[in-house]
Structure formats: structure tokens, C-alpha cells
mmCIF file of all heavy atoms in Angstrom:
data_model
loop_
_atom_site.group_PDB
_atom_site.id
_atom_site.type_symbol
_atom_site.label_atom_id
_atom_site.label_comp_id
_atom_site.label_asym_id
_atom_site.label_seq_id
_atom_site.Cartn_x
_atom_site.Cartn_y
_atom_site.Cartn_z
ATOM 1 N N LEU A 1 0.023 71.763 163.219
ATOM 2 C CA LEU A 1 -0.359 73.003 162.552
ATOM 3 C C LEU A 1 -0.393 74.156 163.555
ATOM 4 O O LEU A 1 0.100 75.256 163.265
ATOM 5 C CB LEU A 1 -1.723 72.844 161.881
ATOM 6 C CG LEU A 1 -2.290 74.111 161.209
ATOM 7 C CD1 LEU A 1 -1.352 74.585 160.098
ATOM 8 C CD2 LEU A 1 -3.693 73.856 160.674
ATOM 9 N N ALA A 2 -0.962 73.905 164.736
ATOM 10 C CA ALA A 2 -1.022 74.955 165.757
ATOM 11 C C ALA A 2 0.378 75.355 166.197
ATOM 12 O O ALA A 2 0.674 76.552 166.350
ATOM 13 C CB ALA A 2 -1.838 74.463 166.948
ATOM 14 N N TYR A 3 1.244 74.368 166.397
ATOM 15 C CA TYR A 3 2.616 74.666 166.810
ATOM 16 C C TYR A 3 3.341 75.474 165.741
ATOM 17 O O TYR A 3 4.027 76.470 166.040
ATOM 18 C CB TYR A 3 3.370 73.381 167.101
ATOM 19 C CG TYR A 3 4.850 73.600 167.298
ATOM 20 C CD1 TYR A 3 5.342 74.187 168.456
ATOM 21 C CD2 TYR A 3 5.761 73.254 166.293
ATOM 22 C CE1 TYR A 3 6.700 74.417 168.624
ATOM 23 C CE2 TYR A 3 7.116 73.480 166.456
ATOM 24 C CZ TYR A 3 7.588 74.063 167.614
ATOM 25 O OH TYR A 3 8.922 74.297 167.776
ATOM 26 N N ASN A 4 3.205 75.064 164.494
ATOM 27 C CA ASN A 4 3.880 75.769 163.396
ATOM 28 C C ASN A 4 3.319 77.180 163.221
ATOM 29 O O ASN A 4 4.043 78.101 162.832
ATOM 30 C CB ASN A 4 3.755 74.974 162.099
ATOM 31 C CG ASN A 4 4.612 73.714 162.104
ATOM 32 O OD1 ASN A 4 5.687 73.695 162.697
ATOM 33 N ND2 ASN A 4 4.141 72.656 161.467
ATOM 34 N N THR A 5 2.027 77.347 163.484
ATOM 35 C CA THR A 5 1.427 78.681 163.399
ATOM 36 C C THR A 5 2.029 79.604 164.449
ATOM 37 O O THR A 5 2.276 80.789 164.195
ATOM 38 C CB THR A 5 -0.096 78.602 163.576
ATOM 39 O OG1 THR A 5 -0.647 77.769 162.548
ATOM 40 C CG2 THR A 5 -0.736 79.984 163.493
ATOM 41 N N GLN A 6 2.298 79.054 165.625
ATOM 42 C CA GLN A 6 2.965 79.861 166.649
ATOM 43 C C GLN A 6 4.355 80.280 166.168
ATOM 44 O O GLN A 6 4.775 81.424 166.379
ATOM 45 C CB GLN A 6 3.082 79.089 167.951
ATOM 46 C CG GLN A 6 3.782 79.875 169.057
ATOM 47 C CD GLN A 6 3.682 79.204 170.419
ATOM 48 O OE1 GLN A 6 2.924 78.255 170.595
ATOM 49 N NE2 GLN A 6 4.431 79.695 171.377
ATOM 50 N N GLY A 7 5.039 79.367 165.505
ATOM 51 C CA GLY A 7 6.349 79.701 164.958
ATOM 52 C C GLY A 7 6.291 80.805 163.921
ATOM 53 O O GLY A 7 7.164 81.681 163.873
ATOM 54 N N LEU A 8 5.237 80.801 163.107
ATOM 55 C CA LEU A 8 5.068 81.861 162.112
ATOM 56 C C LEU A 8 4.839 83.211 162.793
ATOM 57 O O LEU A 8 5.338 84.249 162.338
ATOM 58 C CB LEU A 8 3.899 81.525 161.184
ATOM 59 C CG LEU A 8 4.080 80.286 160.298
ATOM 60 C CD1 LEU A 8 2.793 79.989 159.535
ATOM 61 C CD2 LEU A 8 5.238 80.483 159.323
ATOM 62 N N GLY A 9 4.081 83.199 163.890
ATOM 63 C CA GLY A 9 3.870 84.428 164.648
ATOM 64 C C GLY A 9 5.172 84.957 165.214
ATOM 65 O O GLY A 9 5.428 86.175 165.203
ATOM 66 N N MET A 10 6.017 84.057 165.686
ATOM 67 C CA MET A 10 7.313 84.487 166.213
ATOM 68 C C MET A 10 8.186 85.079 165.110
ATOM 69 O O MET A 10 8.945 86.025 165.347
ATOM 70 C CB MET A 10 8.016 83.297 166.875
ATOM 71 C CG MET A 10 7.323 82.793 168.130
ATOM 72 S SD MET A 10 8.145 81.362 168.873
ATOM 73 C CE MET A 10 9.680 82.106 169.433
ATOM 74 N N THR A 11 8.059 84.529 163.892
ATOM 75 C CA THR A 11 8.813 85.065 162.762
ATOM 76 C C THR A 11 8.438 86.518 162.508
ATOM 77 O O THR A 11 9.311 87.381 162.318
ATOM 78 C CB THR A 11 8.540 84.226 161.499
ATOM 79 O OG1 THR A 11 9.014 82.889 161.714
ATOM 80 C CG2 THR A 11 9.256 84.815 160.295
ATOM 81 N N VAL A 12 7.137 86.803 162.502
ATOM 82 C CA VAL A 12 6.685 88.190 162.329
ATOM 83 C C VAL A 12 7.200 89.055 163.485
ATOM 84 O O VAL A 12 7.642 90.195 163.293
ATOM 85 C CB VAL A 12 5.148 88.255 162.251
ATOM 86 C CG1 VAL A 12 4.665 89.706 162.222
ATOM 87 C CG2 VAL A 12 4.642 87.504 161.025
ATOM 88 N N GLY A 13 7.170 88.504 164.692
ATOM 89 C CA GLY A 13 7.659 89.234 165.857
ATOM 90 C C GLY A 13 9.130 89.587 165.749
ATOM 91 O O GLY A 13 9.553 90.664 166.187
ATOM 92 N N PHE A 14 9.940 88.704 165.138
ATOM 93 C CA PHE A 14 11.372 88.976 164.981
ATOM 94 C C PHE A 14 11.604 90.231 164.138
ATOM 95 O O PHE A 14 12.534 90.998 164.398
ATOM 96 C CB PHE A 14 12.079 87.786 164.333
ATOM 97 C CG PHE A 14 12.232 86.595 165.232
ATOM 98 C CD1 PHE A 14 12.265 85.312 164.704
ATOM 99 C CD2 PHE A 14 12.346 86.755 166.604
ATOM 100 C CE1 PHE A 14 12.404 84.208 165.528
ATOM 101 C CE2 PHE A 14 12.481 85.650 167.444
ATOM 102 C CZ PHE A 14 12.515 84.375 166.900
ATOM 103 N N VAL A 15 10.785 90.420 163.115
ATOM 104 C CA VAL A 15 10.939 91.606 162.266
ATOM 105 C C VAL A 15 10.702 92.870 163.093
ATOM 106 O O VAL A 15 11.499 93.820 163.060
ATOM 107 C CB VAL A 15 9.971 91.560 161.067
ATOM 108 C CG1 VAL A 15 10.084 92.841 160.241
ATOM 109 C CG2 VAL A 15 10.253 90.342 160.194
ATOM 110 N N LEU A 16 9.617 92.878 163.855
ATOM 111 C CA LEU A 16 9.289 94.042 164.679
ATOM 112 C C LEU A 16 10.311 94.240 165.796
ATOM 113 O O LEU A 16 10.675 95.379 166.131
ATOM 114 C CB LEU A 16 7.885 93.880 165.257
ATOM 115 C CG LEU A 16 6.761 93.818 164.214
ATOM 116 C CD1 LEU A 16 5.447 93.381 164.861
ATOM 117 C CD2 LEU A 16 6.597 95.164 163.524
ATOM 118 N N LEU A 17 10.789 93.131 166.360
ATOM 119 C CA LEU A 17 11.837 93.204 167.380
ATOM 120 C C LEU A 17 13.084 93.866 166.821
ATOM 121 O O LEU A 17 13.680 94.756 167.453
ATOM 122 C CB LEU A 17 12.168 91.797 167.878
ATOM 123 C CG LEU A 17 13.484 91.594 168.638
ATOM 124 C CD1 LEU A 17 13.505 92.415 169.914
ATOM 125 C CD2 LEU A 17 13.696 90.117 168.953
ATOM 126 N N GLY A 18 13.489 93.454 165.624
ATOM 127 C CA GLY A 18 14.685 94.021 165.020
ATOM 128 C C GLY A 18 14.550 95.507 164.747
ATOM 129 O O GLY A 18 15.465 96.290 165.019
ATOM 130 N N LEU A 19 13.402 95.920 164.228
ATOM 131 C CA LEU A 19 13.198 97.331 163.913
ATOM 132 C C LEU A 19 13.185 98.190 165.179
ATOM 133 O O LEU A 19 13.814 99.254 165.231
ATOM 134 C CB LEU A 19 11.893 97.505 163.136
ATOM 135 C CG LEU A 19 11.856 96.869 161.740
ATOM 136 C CD1 LEU A 19 10.470 97.007 161.126
ATOM 137 C CD2 LEU A 19 12.910 97.492 160.830
ATOM 138 N N GLY A 20 12.457 97.734 166.199
ATOM 139 C CA GLY A 20 12.407 98.489 167.449
ATOM 140 C C GLY A 20 13.757 98.585 168.117
ATOM 141 O O GLY A 20 14.166 99.655 168.601
ATOM 142 N N SER A 21 14.487 97.478 168.138
ATOM 143 C CA SER A 21 15.805 97.474 168.768
ATOM 144 C C SER A 21 16.793 98.345 168.002
ATOM 145 O O SER A 21 17.678 98.969 168.603
ATOM 146 C CB SER A 21 16.335 96.039 168.862
ATOM 147 O OG SER A 21 15.515 95.257 169.710
ATOM 148 N N ALA A 22 16.658 98.385 166.676
ATOM 149 C CA ALA A 22 17.541 99.232 165.875
ATOM 150 C C ALA A 22 17.334 100.706 166.216
ATOM 151 O O ALA A 22 18.301 101.480 166.319
ATOM 152 C CB ALA A 22 17.293 98.994 164.383
ATOM 153 N N VAL A 23 16.088 101.108 166.411
ATOM 154 C CA VAL A 23 15.791 102.498 166.774
ATOM 155 C C VAL A 23 16.399 102.826 168.142
ATOM 156 O O VAL A 23 17.057 103.866 168.313
ATOM 157 C CB VAL A 23 14.270 102.753 166.786
ATOM 158 C CG1 VAL A 23 13.967 104.145 167.344
ATOM 159 C CG2 VAL A 23 13.690 102.615 165.384
ATOM 160 N N PHE A 24 16.183 101.950 169.109
ATOM 161 C CA PHE A 24 16.730 102.191 170.446
ATOM 162 C C PHE A 24 18.262 102.225 170.418
ATOM 163 O O PHE A 24 18.889 103.049 171.084
ATOM 164 C CB PHE A 24 16.248 101.119 171.418
ATOM 165 C CG PHE A 24 14.822 101.291 171.855
ATOM 166 C CD1 PHE A 24 14.030 100.179 172.131
ATOM 167 C CD2 PHE A 24 14.254 102.539 172.014
ATOM 168 C CE1 PHE A 24 12.707 100.321 172.552
ATOM 169 C CE2 PHE A 24 12.939 102.705 172.427
ATOM 170 C CZ PHE A 24 12.170 101.586 172.695
ATOM 171 N N ALA A 25 18.878 101.311 169.657
ATOM 172 C CA ALA A 25 20.340 101.275 169.580
ATOM 173 C C ALA A 25 20.873 102.549 168.924
ATOM 174 O O ALA A 25 21.920 103.077 169.331
ATOM 175 C CB ALA A 25 20.796 100.041 168.795
ATOM 176 N N TYR A 26 20.174 103.054 167.913
ATOM 177 C CA TYR A 26 20.581 104.305 167.272
ATOM 178 C C TYR A 26 20.568 105.448 168.287
ATOM 179 O O TYR A 26 21.502 106.269 168.331
ATOM 180 C CB TYR A 26 19.647 104.618 166.108
ATOM 181 C CG TYR A 26 19.816 106.016 165.560
ATOM 182 C CD1 TYR A 26 20.906 106.354 164.758
ATOM 183 C CD2 TYR A 26 18.887 107.008 165.874
ATOM 184 C CE1 TYR A 26 21.069 107.653 164.279
ATOM 185 C CE2 TYR A 26 19.040 108.306 165.388
ATOM 186 C CZ TYR A 26 20.124 108.619 164.591
ATOM 187 O OH TYR A 26 20.275 109.901 164.123
ATOM 188 N N LEU A 27 19.522 105.519 169.095
ATOM 189 C CA LEU A 27 19.439 106.580 170.099
ATOM 190 C C LEU A 27 20.533 106.423 171.157
ATOM 191 O O LEU A 27 21.078 107.411 171.653
ATOM 192 C CB LEU A 27 18.058 106.585 170.750
ATOM 193 C CG LEU A 27 16.911 107.033 169.841
ATOM 194 C CD1 LEU A 27 15.577 106.948 170.581
ATOM 195 C CD2 LEU A 27 17.145 108.447 169.331
ATOM 196 N N LEU A 28 20.862 105.189 171.508
ATOM 197 C CA LEU A 28 21.975 104.968 172.439
ATOM 198 C C LEU A 28 23.280 105.453 171.836
ATOM 199 O O LEU A 28 24.132 106.020 172.532
ATOM 200 C CB LEU A 28 22.078 103.474 172.779
ATOM 201 C CG LEU A 28 21.180 102.944 173.883
ATOM 202 C CD1 LEU A 28 21.340 101.426 174.002
ATOM 203 C CD2 LEU A 28 21.484 103.597 175.225
ATOM 204 N N LEU A 29 23.463 105.236 170.535
ATOM 205 C CA LEU A 29 24.669 105.695 169.861
ATOM 206 C C LEU A 29 24.762 107.216 169.896
ATOM 207 O O LEU A 29 25.823 107.784 170.176
ATOM 208 C CB LEU A 29 24.673 105.197 168.409
ATOM 209 C CG LEU A 29 25.863 105.639 167.548
ATOM 210 C CD1 LEU A 29 27.168 105.092 168.105
ATOM 211 C CD2 LEU A 29 25.669 105.189 166.106
ATOM 212 N N LYS A 30 23.645 107.888 169.620
ATOM 213 C CA LYS A 30 23.634 109.347 169.626
ATOM 214 C C LYS A 30 23.820 109.919 171.035
ATOM 215 O O LYS A 30 24.405 110.980 171.208
ATOM 216 C CB LYS A 30 22.326 109.870 169.024
ATOM 217 C CG LYS A 30 22.060 109.425 167.596
ATOM 218 C CD LYS A 30 23.120 109.893 166.621
ATOM 219 C CE LYS A 30 23.072 111.377 166.372
ATOM 220 N NZ LYS A 30 24.027 111.796 165.314
ATOM 221 N N SER A 31 23.333 109.195 172.013
ATOM 222 C CA SER A 31 23.392 109.714 173.388
ATOM 223 C C SER A 31 24.775 109.620 174.011
ATOM 224 O O SER A 31 25.129 110.403 174.877
ATOM 225 C CB SER A 31 22.397 108.940 174.267
ATOM 226 O OG SER A 31 22.856 107.617 174.503
ATOM 227 N N ARG A 32 25.554 108.623 173.594
ATOM 228 C CA ARG A 32 26.855 108.315 174.199
ATOM 229 C C ARG A 32 26.721 107.928 175.667
ATOM 230 O O ARG A 32 27.647 108.103 176.447
ATOM 231 C CB ARG A 32 27.838 109.501 174.053
ATOM 232 C CG ARG A 32 28.071 109.960 172.617
ATOM 233 C CD ARG A 32 28.596 108.832 171.733
ATOM 234 N NE ARG A 32 29.210 109.340 170.506
ATOM 235 C CZ ARG A 32 28.559 109.546 169.359
ATOM 236 N NH1 ARG A 32 27.261 109.297 169.298
ATOM 237 N NH2 ARG A 32 29.203 109.988 168.292
ATOM 238 N N TYR A 33 25.571 107.397 176.037
ATOM 239 C CA TYR A 33 25.379 106.940 177.416
ATOM 240 C C TYR A 33 26.204 105.691 177.713
ATOM 241 O O TYR A 33 26.486 105.390 178.878
ATOM 242 C CB TYR A 33 23.910 106.626 177.683
ATOM 243 C CG TYR A 33 22.995 107.828 177.757
ATOM 244 C CD1 TYR A 33 21.633 107.695 177.484
ATOM 245 C CD2 TYR A 33 23.469 109.085 178.117
ATOM 246 C CE1 TYR A 33 20.779 108.793 177.556
ATOM 247 C CE2 TYR A 33 22.633 110.178 178.191
ATOM 248 C CZ TYR A 33 21.277 110.028 177.903
ATOM 249 O OH TYR A 33 20.432 111.108 177.972
ATOM 250 N N VAL A 34 26.521 104.916 176.673
ATOM 251 C CA VAL A 34 27.295 103.687 176.817
ATOM 252 C C VAL A 34 28.406 103.710 175.772
ATOM 253 O O VAL A 34 28.356 104.506 174.827
ATOM 254 C CB VAL A 34 26.410 102.430 176.630
ATOM 255 C CG1 VAL A 34 25.351 102.342 177.716
ATOM 256 C CG2 VAL A 34 25.766 102.415 175.252
ATOM 257 N N PRO A 35 29.423 102.867 175.908
ATOM 258 C CA PRO A 35 30.499 102.837 174.911
ATOM 259 C C PRO A 35 29.953 102.619 173.501
ATOM 260 O O PRO A 35 29.025 101.840 173.291
ATOM 261 C CB PRO A 35 31.365 101.662 175.368
ATOM 262 C CG PRO A 35 31.136 101.580 176.841
ATOM 263 C CD PRO A 35 29.699 101.958 177.033
ATOM 264 N N THR A 36 30.568 103.270 172.539
ATOM 265 C CA THR A 36 30.062 103.292 171.167
ATOM 266 C C THR A 36 29.914 101.903 170.559
ATOM 267 O O THR A 36 28.988 101.649 169.774
ATOM 268 C CB THR A 36 30.996 104.148 170.281
ATOM 269 O OG1 THR A 36 31.067 105.467 170.830
ATOM 270 C CG2 THR A 36 30.481 104.219 168.859
ATOM 271 N N PHE A 37 30.827 100.980 170.894
ATOM 272 C CA PHE A 37 30.792 99.677 170.238
ATOM 273 C C PHE A 37 29.501 98.911 170.537
ATOM 274 O O PHE A 37 29.050 98.109 169.701
ATOM 275 C CB PHE A 37 32.008 98.836 170.643
ATOM 276 C CG PHE A 37 31.946 98.266 172.033
ATOM 277 C CD1 PHE A 37 31.388 97.009 172.265
ATOM 278 C CD2 PHE A 37 32.447 98.980 173.122
ATOM 279 C CE1 PHE A 37 31.343 96.474 173.546
ATOM 280 C CE2 PHE A 37 32.388 98.460 174.399
ATOM 281 C CZ PHE A 37 31.838 97.208 174.619
ATOM 282 N N LEU A 38 28.888 99.167 171.690
ATOM 283 C CA LEU A 38 27.663 98.444 172.036
ATOM 284 C C LEU A 38 26.493 98.823 171.130
ATOM 285 O O LEU A 38 25.867 97.948 170.526
ATOM 286 C CB LEU A 38 27.320 98.665 173.511
ATOM 287 C CG LEU A 38 28.102 97.825 174.525
ATOM 288 C CD1 LEU A 38 27.808 98.296 175.948
ATOM 289 C CD2 LEU A 38 27.753 96.348 174.371
ATOM 290 N N PRO A 39 26.141 100.110 170.995
ATOM 291 C CA PRO A 39 25.036 100.437 170.093
ATOM 292 C C PRO A 39 25.333 100.149 168.630
ATOM 293 O O PRO A 39 24.417 99.842 167.865
ATOM 294 C CB PRO A 39 24.796 101.931 170.340
ATOM 295 C CG PRO A 39 26.025 102.436 170.991
ATOM 296 C CD PRO A 39 26.581 101.292 171.765
#
């Protein structure tokens, strides 16, 4: 149960990870600091 609860916490973390990374990638796209295909 404890192990599976940790897995559930990681699941919630994935949602926040995706949202935060999407914002940063959008800003990288607007900045043109790196090739467009990456962001």
C-alpha cells in the first residue's frame, strides 16, 4: 500500500511536470534561442 501510494503521488507529479514543461517549451519557441523543432 505504501509503495502504491508513492506511485499515485508520482502520477499527480506527472501532470504538474507536463504543464510546467509545456510553459517553458512555449517560451523557448517564442524566444528562438534553440531550433524550432525542439520546443
